[in-house]
């Protein structure tokens, strides 16, 4: 599914984010930038050791923030490592921290002057954030950002790893834009 807002394409697709050819792909990282399972493991496996080398130099990244490294062997030129919150009950600043992880990534992309960025569904795997609530935060943050930064990004894509996640994100995008 795809919509165009303020000249920017917002696109949803089901697949493996490591294969994306956007300028940047975003990793759902942990605050130690230590690698791990899920999309983090997949990105480091596909991108090779250059990414972890830079992560070690950076040292860490607080929850709700994002840092950038090379894309190594990936098609993407850069990886943004965004640290979403571990979901407890929704009453521990999780919504604000998730929004901030997305917003920080978008800001880094614009600072770098690139046109396209792809996100996974941050925090909704091992970190347990309910997908429906997370999709509302993810998509409304992106829609707000492209509205406030017209002409800066051509393409913001979400690469969802399962049919159910794709369905949830599609419903949310429709309800936020109709
Ligand atoms: P977190 O710790 O932030 O919850 P996870 O990696 O556990 O991060 O999960 C985030 C989302 O990424 C989940 O929906 C998971 O299914 C998905 N995911 C896992 N591997 C990939 C991949 N290769 N491409 C895109 N999404 C992926």
């Amino acid at each position: 599914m795809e919509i165009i807002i303020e000249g920017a394409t917002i696109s949803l697709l089901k697949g493996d984010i490591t294969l994306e050819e956007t300028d940047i792909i975003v990793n759902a990282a942990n605050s130690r930038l230590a690698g791990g399972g899920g999309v983090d493991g997949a990105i480091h496996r596909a991108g090779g050791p250059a990414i972890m080398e830079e992560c070690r130099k950076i040292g860490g990244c607080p929850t709700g923030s994002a840092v950038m490294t090379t894309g190594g062997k990936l098609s993407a030129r850069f990886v943004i490592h965004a640290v979403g919150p571990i979901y407890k009950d929704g009453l521990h600043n999780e919504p604000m921290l998730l929004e901030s992880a997305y917003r920080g990534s978008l800001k880094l992309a614009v600072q770098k002057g690139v046109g396209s960025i792809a996100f996974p569904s941050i925090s909704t795997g091992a970190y347990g954030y309910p997908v429906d609530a997370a999709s509302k935060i993810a998509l409304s943050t992106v829609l707000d950002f492209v509205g406030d930064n017209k002409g800066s990004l051509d393409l913001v894509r979400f690469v969802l790893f399962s049919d159910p996640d794709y369905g949830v994100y599609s419903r949310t995008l429709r309800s936020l834009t109709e």
Side-chain angles (χ1 to χ4, degrees):
M1 160 175 194
E2 210 167 87
I3 60 155
I4 297 177
I5 302 258
E6 307 287 2
T9 301
I10 313 295
S11 140
L12 307 181
L13 61 83
K14 195 195 128 186
D16 175 355
I17 199 167
T18 64
L19 303 174
E20 273 303 306
E21 294 181 352
T22 44
D23 298 310
I24 293 177
I25 67 170
V26 177
N27 181 18
N30 53 62
S31 56
R32 292 176 298 122
L33 302 178
V39 71
D40 199 349
I43 287 173
H44 283 289
R45 272 195 302 280
I51 300 176
M52 185 50 78
E53 244 167 67
E54 273 191 56
C55 283
R56 277 203 205 94
K57 281 186 198 142
I58 297 166
C61 175
T63 303
S65 299
V67 294
M68 189 175 326
T69 66
T70 173
K73 294 188 292 179
L74 296 166
S75 300
R77 290 160 59 207
F78 306 103
V79 175
I80 288 177
H81 305 264
V83 183
I86 297 173
Y87 189 85
K88 295 191 184 75
D89 53 8
L91 303 172
H92 287 79
N93 255 345
E94 296 97 326
M96 187 275 279
L97 291 166
L98 187 60
E99 171 174 349
S100 163
Y102 279 104
R103 194 171 287 282
S105 302
L106 292 161
K107 279 190 195 153
L108 280 179
V110 170
Q111 277 167 20
K112 201 74 188 173
V114 304
S116 59
I117 181 168
F119 285 98
S121 180
I122 297 171
S123 281
T124 66
Y127 280 6
Y129 212 117
V131 180
D132 186 45
S135 72
K136 289 177 178 142
I137 292 168
L139 285 164
S140 57
T141 303
V142 166
L143 292 170
D144 282 356
F145 189 89
V146 300
D148 292 344
N149 296 269
K150 292 187 183 63
S152 55
L153 291 166
D154 307 322
L155 171 65
V156 181
R157 170 166 287 156
F158 284 86
V159 182
L160 292 322
F161 208 49
S162 71
D163 286 322
D165 286 358
Y166 180 83
V168 170
Y169 272 73
S170 304
R171 274 194 297 282
T172 300
L173 183 56
R174 250 177 254 121
S175 75
L176 289 173
T177 53
E178 67 193 10

